[in-house]
Amino acid sequence: MAIPAQSDGTATLTKDAAPGETLLKVTGLQKHFPIRKGLLQRQVGAVRAVDGIDFEVRSGETLGVVGESGCGKSTMGRLITRLLEPTAGKVEFEGKDITHLSVAGMRPMRRDVQMIFQDPYSSLNPRHTIGTIISAPFKLQGVSPEGGVKKEVQRLLSVVGLNPEHYNRYPHEFSGGQRQRIGIARALALNPKMVVADEPVSALDVSIQAQVVNLLDDLQQELGLTYVIIAHDLSVVRHVSDRIAVMYLGKIVELADRESLYKAPMHPYTKALMSAVPIPDPRRKSAKSERILLKGDVPSPISPPSGCRFHTRCWKATQICTTTEPPLLELKPGQQVACHHPENFEDQAPQDTVLLTAAKEAAELVADEVLAESAATSAAVAAEVAAATETPVAKESPAVSKEAPAKDAAPEAASEADEASEGDAPVKE
Ligand SMILES: Nc1ncnc2c1ncn2[C@@H]1O[C@H](COP(=O)(O)OP(=O)(O)OP(=O)(O)O)[C@@H](O)[C@H]1O
Ligand code: SF4
Ligand SMILES: [Mg+2]
């Protein structure tokens, strides 16, 4: 892609990140929206939309971000593109602290970071031609592309698979999928380094979704783009993401490379999200339904639950989950998780065995085989770890052991553990 000439001479002086190097780094990022009441508009509380998250985006990768409605995905996207001012924490782009840059200070960086919005109907001004819409970033940045604006817009239209002759048409003359392509062309106009796409296909027909996702994927190959793609379920991001962050109530609860996440999710919430996506797997043909239905609504981000925020809906929750927030730790290489009793891994709080009432109720909605599998895989992993470190006692998974004796679980647990440990024989209790 031709790099637009920069007529205003404000080019950033930072060195480009090589593929795989950290492009964006976020530390302790928070956004609390104040709630004000009364004549004096006194602050009476806050919506803790993003409540302390740490992650990095590597050059050339696609980071998928998933989670239920209201968990803070869009707020996170707007914070890292600096469309919103963070309440606390730090955002660094190419090593430069951009957390509190002013509008003027942000201007050079605006070219490098672009956003694609969820709704292709409301994100394009109906009174402007698509030529005007796609060329707006040039005007805003004072950039004059080589060969002129019109030629560059037509080139961008063909890059996203639209007819360059449609330069003078209006948004209403296009279908939803075509409009999203216009949004993508606009985002690409300034040859950005990173594109944050907030649910880029959720407003589109299912038949069109794949086309737009494939277009984003092709453009990444061609232009060496880095993506953060936000989605509310895993079906959209699972094919295109290199790594996936799972958010729950303003927090990242698991962050892992795609393979690890799919082979052996470690956070119970990830497991529940994954069970909602049908995965055609011939090895599991004989397995009974593994769908996990989470009970109840997501709690309010105004007063999130104490300890682990997922404890009110988690079938593995014990006392410690209500009091101590589990830190996001890299328990396996490339897999960070925040949980006291992770799936497919050694229990992090094995002394805490008594299930909470909420967990017992949630357990009724979890298929027996999932509970059993969870108990057996945790036990198997604990045994493996014990064997490796020559510790005499292999711990069983206390959180679910009362509800689901491991013996019922043996066949399915074996297949799961096989996948998780790539062929190591699982040790059964
Ligand atoms: N400008 C705002 N003022 C007050 N609260 C806000 C504002 N923007 C978002 N919120 C609240 O912050 C929380 C997170 O919202 P956000 O839009 O980031 O979630 P989301 O994960 O993108 O959800 P969805 O999947 O529905 O798009 C929600 O409770 C929302 O109501
Ligand atoms: S087991 Fe505890 S820490 Fe882990 S997700 Fe469930 S409630 Fe949270
Ligand atoms: Mg959103």
Side-chain angles (χ1 to χ4, degrees):
M1 185 187 189
I3 298 171
Q6 292 164 0
S7 61
D8 59 354
T10 56
T12 42
L13 295 173
T14 42
K15 207 164 78 32
D16 285 1
E21 275 181 20
T22 302
L23 185 64
L24 179 97
K25 187 163 188 258
V26 163
T27 323
L29 191 65
Q30 283 186 359
K31 181 69 189 178
H32 292 181
F33 294 106
I35 304 168
R36 299 184 191 281
K37 280 222 172 90
L39 273 178
L40 296 174
Q41 286 289 290
R42 276 196 315 138
Q43 184 175 341
V44 292
V47 181
R48 292 155 70 169
V50 168
D51 208 12
I53 58 174
D54 302 89
F55 66 94
E56 58 174 39
V57 184
R58 300 171 190 159
S59 182
E61 77 165 346
T62 297
L63 176 72
V65 179
V66 295
E68 279 164 292
S69 184
C71 70
K73 305 180 296 294
S74 297
T75 305
M76 182 280 294
R78 286 166 187 270
L79 287 172
I80 63 174
T81 47
R82 282 300 325 279
L83 296 172
L84 276 175
E85 180 77 11
T87 308
K90 195 169 174 189
V91 184
E92 289 162 277
F93 185 78
E94 294 189 313
K96 185 179 177 195
D97 187 347
I98 59 160
T99 322
H100 300 293
L101 276 188
S102 63
V103 174
M106 275 298 294
R107 193 160 293 136
M109 206 213 89
R110 285 257 169 260
R111 285 181 202 158
D112 292 337
V113 181
Q114 289 289 320
M115 193 147 179
I116 299 171
F117 297 93
Q118 173 175 1
D119 184 358
Y121 296 89
S122 64
S123 62
L124 305 178
N125 187 330
R127 286 189 294 268
H128 289 170
T129 64
I130 60 166
T132 312
I133 290 169
I134 297 172
S135 61
F138 299 128
K139 290 212 182 80
L140 284 172
Q141 288 280 340
V143 167
S144 14
E146 231 174 276
V149 170
K150 182 174 174 188
K151 196 166 160 233
E152 181 61 8
V153 169
Q154 290 187 319
R155 194 186 66 78
L156 286 164
L157 282 173
S158 54
V159 164
V160 299
L162 293 174
N163 186 341
E165 300 306 313
H166 292 167
Y167 179 90
N168 274 323
R169 295 200 177 178
Y170 288 86
H172 73 263
E173 297 176 68
F174 294 87
S175 68
Q178 289 172 322
R179 283 187 223 196
Q180 199 53 305
R181 286 169 190 265
I182 297 168
I184 294 169
R186 175 176 57 184
L188 295 180
L190 295 166
N191 194 25
K193 291 178 181 153
M194 186 172 91
V195 175
V196 177
D198 189 0
E199 308 220 21
V201 297
S202 62
L204 305 177
D205 277 359
V206 176
S207 56
I208 310 294
Q209 289 190 358
Q211 289 176 19
V212 174
V213 169
N214 289 338
L215 170 67
L216 288 171
D217 208 23
D218 293 346
L219 290 171
Q220 179 171 48
Q221 312 277 324
E222 265 169 59
L223 309 175
L225 293 167
T226 304
Y227 286 139
V228 175
I229 299 188
I230 296 169
H232 58 263
D233 69 41
L234 283 157
S235 58
V236 171
V237 294
R238 68 178 297 232
H239 299 292
V240 290
S241 301
D242 299 297
R243 295 189 304 142
I244 296 173
V246 179
M247 284 187 74
Y248 187 77
L249 265 186
K251 293 271 184 190
I252 292 179
V253 295
E254 183 158 9
L255 175 54
D257 52 69
R258 176 181 54 175
E259 287 296 303
S260 310
L261 200 85
Y262 277 91
K263 270 194 182 158
M266 283 163 92
H267 199 281
Y269 181 62
T270 313
K271 187 156 181 158
L273 277 187
M274 285 194 15
S275 79
V277 183
I279 303 168
D281 183 345
R283 284 168 299 179
R284 294 197 177 180
K285 254 188 191 144
S286 57
K288 283 181 245 156
S289 163
E290 286 180 353
R291 203 176 163 90
I292 302 169
L293 297 169
L294 290 178
K295 196 178 163 158
D297 295 329
V298 184
S300 164
I302 298 170
S303 52
S306 59
C308 171
R309 292 174 182 207
F310 188 51
H311 84 250
T312 54
R313 300 167 84 200
C314 181
W315 66 93
K316 297 182 89 177
T318 61
Q319 186 57 33
I320 191 176
C321 304
T322 64
T323 54
T324 312
E325 185 175 339
L328 186 70
L329 294 177
E330 184 159 5
L331 294 185
K332 281 186 198 166
Q335 190 160 13
Q336 298 173 42
V337 64
C339 177
H340 297 300
H341 309 297
E343 296 281 307
N344 299 304
F345 200 75
E346 193 185 3
D347 202 315
Q348 301 296 292
Q351 72 288 357
D352 209 31
T353 57
V354 183
L355 282 180
L356 296 180
T357 325
K360 285 178 185 150
E361 283 169 16
E364 286 167 19
L365 290 166
V366 175
D368 282 349
E369 56 268 41
V370 173
L371 282 173
E373 178 192 279
S374 154
T377 48
S378 293
V381 174
E384 262 175 53
V385 172
T389 54
E390 294 187 352
T391 346
V393 194
K395 302 159 199 130
E396 62 175 27
S397 173
V400 285
S401 58
K402 292 183 186 64
E403 310 286 317
K407 66 177 164 46
D408 296 345
E412 287 179 29
S415 73
E416 186 78 6
D418 268 335
E419 281 178 48
S421 57
E422 302 206 316
D424 291 350
V427 184
K428 287 170 220 127
E429 293 286 293

